[in-house]
Amino acid sequence: MGGNAKDLVEMAKELAAHSAVDKHVTKDVRVLGIGSGSTVVYAVERLKALRESGTLDPGLVCIPTSFQSKSLIVGAGLRLGQLD
C-alpha cells in the first residue's frame, strides 16, 4: 500500500468514528464508555468538538477502558470517570 491508501484508511476511520458518535451520543447521554484502538482517537476528537459546540451534556462522564483512552479523555478536556 502506498501513502494514499493509508490516508484513505485513516479518513475512513475518522468518518466511521464521527458518524458513530453523531448517531449514538445524544445530549441525553450522561455516561459513556470510551474504548481503545486506533479509531477511538477520532471518536474522542468528535466528542470534544460536540461538547465545545454545546451539543453534548456538559456533565458527560467518560469512562476509559484503557490507559490510552484515559489519556485521550484527559487530553480532550472531557470529564473523566472511573470504571470502578
Side-chain angles (χ1 to χ4, degrees):
M1 275 200 253
N4 289 337
K6 185 176 182 181
D7 291 343
L8 289 174
V9 169
E10 289 304 311
M11 287 173 36
K13 288 180 184 182
E14 182 177 18
L15 181 61
H18 287 202
S19 178
V21 168
D22 290 348
K23 183 176 180 180
H24 298 290
V25 183
T26 65
K27 197 161 190 154
D28 296 336
V29 174
R30 304 279 193 266
V31 178
L32 183 65
I34 305 293
S36 302
S38 59
T39 306
V40 75
V41 172
Y42 301 115
V44 172
E45 171 186 274
R46 184 65 175 159
L47 289 168
K48 178 182 177 184
L50 292 175
R51 187 199 44 147
E52 289 173 349
S53 73
T55 305
L56 290 181
D57 180 336
L60 174 70
V61 177
C62 297
I63 309 293
T65 62
S66 69
F67 180 78
Q68 175 201 21
S69 53
K70 179 180 178 181
S71 296
L72 291 169
I73 293 165
V74 171
L78 298 170
R79 190 170 177 192
L80 178 66
Q82 299 295 328
L83 189 56
D84 55 346

